[in-house]
Amino acid sequence: MSAEIQDSPAAPVAALPLTQEDSWLQPYEPVLLARQQRLAERLASIKQEYGSLSKFATAHQRLGLHYDARRRGYVVREWAPSAEAVSLVGDFNFWNRQADPLQKDEASGVWEGFIADDEAGRRLAAGSRYKLHVVAHGQGKDRLPAYLRRAVQDPETNDFSAQLWVPETPFKWADSTFRIQNATKGQPLIYEAHVGMAQEEGRVGTYREFADHILPRIQVEGYNTVQLMAILEHPYYGSFGYHVANFFAPSSRFGTPEDLKYLVNEAHRRGIVVLLDLVHSHAVKNEAEGLADFDGSGNLYFHKGERGNHPGWDSKLFDYGRPEVQQFLLSNLRYWLEEFHFDGFRFDGVTSMLYHHHGEGHAFGGYDSYFGPDADDDAILYLMLATTLVRELKKSALLIAEDMSGLPGLCRPLADGGVGFDYRLGMGLPDFWIKTLKHKRDEDWDLGELWHQLVNRRQGEKTVAYAESHDQALVGDKTLSHWLYDAAIYTNMGVLDSDPRAARATALHKLIRLITLSAGGEAYLNFMGNEFGHPEWVDFPRAGNDWSYHYARRQWSLADNKDLRFSQLLAFDQAMLRLARERQLLVKGPASLLNLDHSNKVIAFERAGLVFVFSFHVSESFFDYGLPVPAVGRYRLLLSSDRPEFGGFDRLDEHVIYDTLGGGGTAEAPRLRLYVPSRTALVLARA
């Protein structure tokens, strides 16, 4: 923050709620107002041309391959203004590139063709495979249509083709009474999951297997939201779904579009919200499968030249200022909401979108970083359009932004001067935990630094707290359980094993999760399997591991085995989530610090009327430990991480009622005196 801004007595009177609440933002209010004005102008332009934003977001209903019942045949349309010729090819015309040329509308740049039902031997039918042959600069290439609904891969050639998908009967939804708010109660407890690696066998799992076998686990464990990764079709399985090629196609690796609908419908039947992990921040650079250089212009969907290449992700970057690109991406949002009944989105890579430098090697040290020339105004406009559209289509939808920059207002309403997201991922916390475990002895943990990381978030902007996600589970790094247990995770996981390394790891695994949940945000996220300390990282089949699925699966049997510590970690995770649900923990807050004892490694705070006490001391337990509490009264234990069913040592009598000392008209604040065992978390409530 510059001294001029800090000391300026002439800061304008703030008009936006965002700047009224944060005086440091007042010098930047003109930027925020300009963003609002640009949004208003763009919406007015869209309304004038299309009638409304929601009608603008219907390109998928016109472009692509669609059946015309009146004409009795299929109409194909594709936007490719710089192409010299476009034709439809497929098994229906024996892949003859001259058989079915499309005609170009010069005004719109859209090519169109028609295949009638009654053309003998040339009928497009359910299951037909097809592509577009696009000629540019005298060279023809077979390409996949931008708006295709299904892409399938040939198992022998590995070539992807579009496939005409026509189900025998329309899918029958049974979720008309499902309500997002009823499911989450205002506190999303998110289970981040990958359908393909969700089975224990070494293979690709399916949508229906996930629905039938994994959703019941998620429900029983106490999560109310599932966040599905890798749904949008991607040519390389090992990309974790983040190099998307076909934005309107659910990945055929996991089953059919109806199978995905079955999954979402089943989740809703179980009272579980379903979020789509959405990648609008970049796209795969592959031309054979994706959109890169589609019409030969070099900048149809993406920026031209180097600006169109992401320096760190080896992928292509959208030109968010182009109306047709806005329409493509907004239509994509509408498609997933309406066709598959998703309840919202986790927008991946938002930091990359917000800034021309994409956050690469950039430190965000002051507000100039957010509102200066590095900000990508076109991308910000698109995000504001996106949140506006989602609110129009599904008012209660959840919108989560993956942003590590901390842009002020990202998770505030547009009217406040914000961008309109509901939650920001608290990316600093998992980084803190990994760095702490990597570089600090237990004795050297700084509780002041820990508390700062837990509560360091913008007032009025909700955060998804998490100790680790899929990012920390990737090969080349370790999960928290792997850092904690190390080799003992393979040799000393029996519940009767007295190995001190495993006992330490079990204790800290619980403490890390509970303190992250209880103080770190207004929502909570866990990656599939990490709740029970899954023993290995994630590594998809590739040449470097002989195309093995050994690390691309989840070993649920470990959590189900009552003789192993994994089951104890799972039991604690369930108890922790139950506490959060029953006490509406994340709705109430934020946490208020009661005690920070550096020398004894004890930290305590209050939230939702509960008192949380954490001892990170490596060996010493404290008898008659004095602790300030918010109110006079009698307190009882609700939860102790030291219970034997959680892998603890059962050092506490949970039937004891604790009476406060002091308070009640005395000058001394009310206090409790507790027995606080080493490496233990306690949660108390007034009796």
Side-chain angles (χ1 to χ4, degrees):
M1 216 80 59
S2 67
E4 290 83 1
I5 294 171
Q6 183 176 5
D7 299 331
S8 173
V13 176
L16 295 171
L18 190 62
T19 53
Q20 288 175 346
E21 295 166 16
D22 183 353
S23 60
W24 292 97
L25 274 175
Q26 291 181 14
Y28 303 96
E29 186 166 74
V31 178
L32 296 172
L33 291 171
R35 290 176 179 176
Q36 284 187 332
Q37 180 63 28
R38 191 178 184 205
L39 173 65
E41 291 172 356
R42 182 67 184 121
L43 288 172
S45 173
I46 289 171
K47 184 176 181 180
Q48 181 177 11
E49 185 172 358
Y50 293 89
S52 68
L53 181 62
S54 60
K55 290 181 180 178
F56 177 62
T58 56
H60 59 294
Q61 297 174 10
R62 180 172 182 270
L63 296 172
L65 187 65
H66 298 279
Y67 190 74
D68 188 326
R70 182 182 59 83
R71 297 171 66 185
R72 296 186 179 181
Y74 281 91
V75 179
V76 59
R77 300 184 184 93
E78 191 74 24
W79 178 56
S82 294
E84 295 158 8
V86 179
S87 60
L88 184 67
V89 299
D91 51 19
F92 72 97
N93 65 8
F94 307 102
W95 300 96
N96 184 339
R97 294 175 176 83
Q98 285 75 47
D100 291 287
L102 276 58
Q103 302 302 312
K104 182 182 180 183
D105 177 74
E106 294 294 339
S108 65
V110 173
W111 297 78
E112 182 173 328
F114 179 73
I115 308 296
D117 286 346
D118 57 2
E119 293 190 33
R122 287 170 30 83
R123 187 174 183 274
L124 272 165
S128 292
R129 299 194 180 200
Y130 65 96
K131 295 186 181 185
L132 293 171
H133 186 69
V134 181
V135 179
H137 310 296
Q139 300 292 319
K141 294 180 181 180
D142 290 346
R143 304 298 300 263
L144 298 187
Y147 288 84
L148 67 86
R149 303 292 180 92
R150 180 168 167 83
V152 292
Q153 188 174 26
D154 187 296
E156 295 183 3
T157 66
N158 292 324
D159 181 51
F160 279 88
S161 300
Q163 185 182 54
L164 178 58
W165 184 254
V166 184
E168 292 183 5
T169 57
F171 185 83
K172 294 182 179 179
W173 291 95
D175 62 351
S176 60
T177 60
F178 178 79
R179 298 293 181 268
I180 295 170
Q181 180 62 29
N182 292 344
T184 66
K185 306 297 184 186
Q187 53 174 9
L189 303 171
I190 305 168
Y191 200 82
E192 184 185 39
H194 185 285
V195 168
M197 59 171 287
Q199 304 303 313
E200 188 147 359
E201 296 177 45
R203 59 177 176 81
V204 178
T206 69
Y207 295 122
R208 286 187 177 264
E209 287 175 324
F210 189 93
D212 293 340
H213 305 303
I214 309 305
L215 284 178
R217 287 182 176 273
I218 295 171
Q219 181 184 21
V220 169
E221 289 182 17
Y223 293 90
N224 57 37
T225 305
V226 61
Q227 179 177 296
L228 295 180
M229 308 173 64
I231 298 299
L232 281 65
E233 190 62 87
H234 46 290
Y236 180 46
Y237 189 46
S239 75
F240 232 139
Y242 290 116
H243 276 187
V244 174
N246 315 114
F247 285 79
F248 290 83
S251 179
S252 60
R253 287 183 184 88
F254 313 137
T256 69
E258 274 58 49
D259 292 337
L260 176 57
K261 292 175 183 178
Y262 173 82
L263 189 166
V264 176
N265 195 62
E266 179 65 11
H268 288 167
R269 187 182 73 81
R270 293 180 175 276
I272 298 173
V273 168
V274 189
L275 302 181
L276 179 64
D277 194 344
L278 186 76
V279 186
H280 280 185
S281 50
H282 63 132
V284 73
K285 69 177 184 180
N286 303 26
E287 292 188 7
E289 297 89 6
L291 299 170
D293 198 25
F294 192 90
D295 68 344
S297 63
N299 69 329
L300 187 66
Y301 288 94
F302 311 112
H303 288 292
K304 197 166 189 175
E306 278 308 303
R307 190 181 173 191
N309 300 320
H310 194 290
W313 295 348
D314 193 31
S315 55
K316 301 300 293 183
L317 294 169
F318 286 106
D319 182 354
Y320 300 106
R322 192 164 193 174
E324 295 87 351
V325 175
Q326 293 175 359
Q327 189 174 37
F328 174 80
L329 295 173
L330 292 170
S331 299
N332 192 234
L333 292 171
R334 179 166 190 167
Y335 171 73
W336 291 108
L337 287 173
E338 295 185 341
E339 184 71 19
F340 293 95
H341 290 206
F342 277 96
D343 301 306
F345 304 99
R346 178 262 200 193
F347 276 67
D348 176 72
V350 168
T351 304
S352 176
M353 300 172 71
L354 293 172
Y355 311 100
H356 293 298
H357 53 64
H358 312 299
E360 296 267 310
H362 189 88
F364 293 88
Y367 282 11
D368 283 341
S369 305
Y370 305 120
F371 303 108
D374 288 333
D376 188 332
D377 290 331
D378 288 343
I380 293 167
L381 172 62
Y382 165 67
L383 290 172
M384 295 171 80
L385 287 168
T387 59
T388 301
L389 175 69
V390 172
R391 291 284 171 255
E392 284 186 11
L393 297 174
K394 197 171 216 175
K395 188 175 182 180
S396 60
L398 297 179
L399 294 174
I400 300 172
E402 187 202 31
D403 170 45
M404 50 75 63
S405 74
L407 174 67
L410 183 65
C411 301
R412 290 289 294 269
L414 296 169
D416 290 359
V419 181
F421 284 92
D422 296 306
Y423 296 88
R424 183 201 317 272
L425 284 171
M427 302 176 72
L429 267 173
D431 289 344
F432 169 80
W433 287 123
I434 289 291
K435 290 176 183 177
T436 298
L437 293 177
K438 277 184 180 181
H439 303 300
K440 287 189 176 182
R441 301 183 312 152
D442 294 0
E443 294 86 347
D444 297 331
W445 285 22
D446 186 337
L447 298 190
E449 183 184 9
L450 167 58
W451 182 250
H452 173 75
Q453 289 292 336
L454 288 167
V455 300
N456 182 29
R457 53 188 186 273
R458 292 191 62 83
Q459 183 178 356
E461 300 198 42
K462 293 182 288 190
T463 296
V464 179
Y466 62 107
E468 55 183 335
S469 68
H470 72 274
D471 286 325
Q472 288 72 37
L474 294 173
V475 67
D477 206 335
K478 296 180 181 180
T479 61
L480 291 184
S481 66
H482 217 157
W483 280 111
L484 288 164
Y485 287 99
D486 199 32
I489 205 166
Y490 299 110
T491 59
N492 299 93
M493 295 302 287
V495 296
L496 300 179
D497 195 305
S498 60
D499 180 71
R501 298 171 300 167
R504 165 200 175 259
T506 300
L508 289 179
H509 195 272
K510 294 178 290 185
L511 266 62
I512 287 171
R513 275 169 160 66
L514 180 58
I515 201 169
T516 299
L517 166 71
S518 55
E522 291 72 38
Y524 178 72
L525 178 141
N526 165 71
F527 176 64
M528 178 175 67
N530 286 357
E531 71 276 11
F532 64 84
H534 197 278
E536 290 163 343
W537 50 79
V538 174
D539 188 15
F540 289 93
R542 56 187 173 87
N545 64 15
D546 293 326
W547 303 102
S548 170
Y549 285 90
H550 181 74
Y551 296 107
R553 61 194 181 105
R554 295 285 91 176
Q555 299 179 59
W556 306 107
S557 59
L558 297 175
D560 295 339
N561 189 336
K562 300 300 183 183
D563 293 329
L564 297 177
R565 291 181 185 269
F566 300 107
S567 68
Q568 296 174 329
L569 296 179
L570 177 61
F572 181 76
D573 200 72
Q574 291 173 316
M576 180 179 81
L577 295 181
R578 189 181 309 115
L579 176 76
R581 292 195 313 274
E582 292 176 353
R583 294 287 175 155
Q584 282 285 281
L585 178 63
L586 304 186
V587 177
K588 303 169 183 176
S592 176
L593 187 64
L594 300 173
N595 182 70
L596 188 59
D597 185 345
H598 292 281
S599 60
N600 292 317
K601 294 289 187 270
V602 176
I603 185 171
F605 54 86
E606 178 273 336
R607 188 174 188 182
L610 304 178
V611 174
F612 293 82
V613 184
F614 292 83
S615 171
F616 288 94
H617 202 285
V618 299
S619 59
E620 189 171 350
S621 298
F622 302 103
F623 293 89
D624 209 27
Y625 187 88
L627 181 76
V629 290
V632 171
R634 313 189 82 198
Y635 287 77
R636 60 184 176 88
L637 269 174
L638 287 185
L639 180 64
S640 165
S641 67
D642 202 45
R643 291 177 187 169
E645 61 265 34
F646 303 150
F649 296 100
D650 200 18
R651 290 170 287 180
L652 286 143
D653 182 351
E654 296 196 30
H655 295 99
V656 172
I657 299 295
Y658 301 90
D659 291 298
T660 53
L661 303 173
T666 68
E668 183 183 0
R671 301 175 67 83
L672 291 178
R673 305 204 72 86
L674 306 172
Y675 172 44
V676 182
S678 60
R679 286 187 177 136
T680 296
L682 310 174
V683 184
L684 300 101
R686 293 182 67 184

